[in-house]
Amino acid sequence: MKKKVYFITNALTGGGAERVMSVLSNYLVEHEYEINFLLLQDKETAYEINGKIKLYKRADIHPKDMTAQIKFIRHFMKKDPYALFVSFFTHQNLFTLLAAIGTKARVLVSERNDPAHSFTAKLTKVGNIVRNILYKSHYCKKIIFQTKGAMDFFSDRIKSKSVVIANPLKDGLPEPYTLERKKTIVSVGRFNPQKNYELLLDAFAVFFTKHSDFRLEIYGDGILRKTIENYIKKLGLNDNIELCGFCKNVHERIVDAGMYVMSSDFEGLSNAMLEALALGLPVICTDHPPGGARTYIKSYENGILTPVGDVDEMAKAMCYVAENPDKAKAMGMKALSVRNELSSDNICKKWKSVFDSILE
């Protein structure tokens, strides 16, 4: 008899966590698992999903209607009491665990961002209390973290049923570029406050005073696009910075860039950063909490870490890469080891081992 899993998410329209869900579900459905998705919004699926996987949608649920979401999830928990229910987002984790109360459901949750920033300032205290209670409950069988730093945010009781599993790399990445690199600096990510693009822009402005033959390309979009556009104008760098929007073939576009720079204040574990390392790009990244970057980057060995919010250090690192092409290339080549370590097959095997232990 096949083991049954329900993944719970708003939609599969995009995003790092949703990509991991799609990769994992496609792997499991070919390895003795029956896979289902509970989608809380009726939107077009951005990822390729195996035809054996069933998608259940509730288009009539408002995103802020917590009660309706809990009822929808609970319906399937009662229908399939021996299935495993999997959630990847903090608020959704709480709704899923609340839905499980009084049922036989088994729940696995995953924290996909810095747990210290999961709630708004107003809700931080209450949110952390509720999360701790629900994560300690017997309904929550396992908690998956992307980094040890994220796991260490929690109590020993929660850590005792936790596992650290990194993100899988996207399959089919381009081969590393080995010729002379373009004089471009690239960055990939949503335009939101967490990414702190003003730091990147300020650092580029300092760097540009010495290296005016370089240009900056930022791939992504989001709520702060207009703010970022205005900031670029304020710096007087319109002709040297391009906002490229979302790009499906972004890896092909950036593989020959001079360097990849990430300016985030915090992250779970950035897929974009890992993919840049796997492309052999010289990578500069803030040493942000809870430690995802420093897990994979040894500064000046396979990339460069800079302090969060430090314009001068980021600009200094950018100058180092531009002025030392041989050392930059060596760092990029050393970073390629993540290709094997974080292959989708290796990571999916780790997830399957956890699922098997719960459903045995």
Side-chain angles (χ1 to χ4, degrees):
M1 184 176 176
K2 289 188 175 181
K3 299 166 184 175
K4 187 178 285 190
V5 172
Y6 287 86
F7 288 97
I8 304 163
T9 186
N10 281 332
L12 290 168
T13 52
E18 293 88 343
R19 184 184 69 79
V20 174
M21 280 186 171
S22 67
V23 169
L24 183 55
S25 63
N26 286 336
Y27 177 88
L28 290 171
V29 81
E30 297 296 343
H31 290 81
E32 306 300 322
Y33 271 79
E34 180 181 329
I35 303 298
N36 308 271
F37 272 90
L38 302 184
L39 303 176
L40 302 171
Q41 295 177 22
D42 187 8
K43 294 185 177 181
E44 186 176 348
T45 298
Y47 299 105
E48 186 176 334
I49 299 295
N50 190 301
K52 300 175 187 176
I53 297 171
K54 295 178 182 177
L55 306 179
Y56 299 95
K57 300 180 181 180
R58 271 295 303 268
D60 58 327
I61 295 179
H62 190 278
K64 294 185 178 180
D65 190 341
M66 180 180 74
T67 303
Q69 290 187 36
I70 291 173
K71 285 182 178 178
F72 179 57
I73 297 166
R74 189 176 177 85
H75 165 76
F76 288 91
M77 288 178 166
K78 289 184 174 181
K79 177 184 173 184
D80 283 317
Y82 300 105
L84 176 64
F85 291 80
V86 181
S87 172
F88 269 37
F89 300 96
T90 301
H91 289 79
Q92 193 63 61
N93 295 347
L94 304 189
F95 299 163
T96 302
L97 286 165
L98 286 169
I101 293 175
T103 73
K104 296 179 180 179
R106 290 167 285 187
V107 177
L108 179 149
V109 299
S110 183
E111 287 281 336
R112 311 305 293 181
N113 210 329
D114 180 1
H117 293 87
S118 296
F119 304 102
T120 60
K122 275 187 178 180
L123 293 176
T124 296
K125 188 173 181 180
V126 173
N128 282 334
I129 291 171
V130 173
R131 178 169 58 182
N132 287 338
I133 291 170
L134 291 174
Y135 282 10
K136 289 176 184 176
S137 74
H138 73 274
Y139 300 106
C140 184
K141 301 303 181 185
K142 286 287 182 182
I143 306 154
I144 306 295
F145 295 97
Q146 297 167 296
T147 63
K148 184 178 182 299
M151 183 177 72
D152 287 342
F153 176 83
F154 292 91
S155 67
D156 288 343
R157 183 172 170 185
I158 290 175
K159 285 193 284 187
S160 69
K161 54 179 174 179
S162 298
V163 179
V164 175
I165 304 177
N167 294 346
L169 290 168
K170 179 182 177 181
D171 289 329
L173 288 173
E175 288 300 309
Y177 186 79
T178 58
L179 302 178
E180 185 177 352
R181 292 189 170 276
K182 291 180 178 177
K183 292 182 181 294
T184 55
I185 298 169
V186 295
S187 189
V188 181
R190 298 183 312 276
F191 292 176
N192 67 14
Q194 172 181 345
K195 304 298 182 182
N196 193 0
Y197 278 117
E198 286 192 4
L199 168 62
L200 173 57
L201 297 173
D202 286 338
F204 178 74
V206 175
F207 169 84
F208 190 74
T209 62
K210 295 182 179 180
H211 298 280
S212 58
D213 51 344
F214 273 75
R215 59 184 284 106
L216 172 63
E217 297 175 355
I218 304 176
Y219 293 85
D221 213 336
I223 58 173
L224 293 182
R225 184 182 180 93
K226 194 65 181 176
T227 301
I228 292 169
E229 288 175 348
N230 290 336
Y231 201 75
I232 293 170
K233 289 178 184 177
K234 179 183 173 184
L235 293 171
L237 292 170
N238 293 57
D239 294 335
N240 310 98
I241 301 175
E242 182 180 359
L243 303 184
C244 303
F246 286 115
C247 181
K248 286 189 176 180
N249 65 332
V250 67
H251 302 106
E252 287 76 8
R253 294 277 294 273
I254 70 172
V255 67
D256 59 353
M259 67 188 88
Y260 180 93
V261 183
M262 184 174 180
S263 52
S264 296
D265 289 336
F266 60 92
E267 288 282 342
L269 179 59
S270 168
N271 287 317
M273 177 201 69
L274 294 176
E275 287 158 1
L277 291 169
L279 290 174
L281 281 162
V283 173
I284 298 167
C285 187
T286 51
D287 187 12
H288 47 254
R294 84 175 72 106
T295 300
Y296 293 95
I297 296 176
K298 306 306 175 191
S299 208
Y300 290 92
E301 290 185 23
N302 64 342
I304 301 176
L305 296 174
T306 64
V308 171
D310 195 321
V311 172
D312 291 336
E313 284 299 312
M314 180 164 281
K316 178 182 173 183
M318 292 158 73
C319 287
Y320 179 87
V321 170
E323 294 162 10
N324 297 277
D326 290 341
K327 291 180 179 178
K329 182 178 181 179
M331 286 193 296
M333 292 301 101
K334 202 162 187 179
L336 290 175
S337 63
V338 300
R339 279 200 174 225
N340 180 59
E341 181 183 354
L342 302 181
S343 70
S344 60
D345 191 60
N346 282 343
I347 297 301
C348 286
K349 283 177 181 176
K350 292 181 180 181
W351 276 91
K352 182 178 180 296
S353 177
V354 175
F355 285 9
D356 288 345
S357 70
I358 298 172
L359 293 173
E360 63 185 5

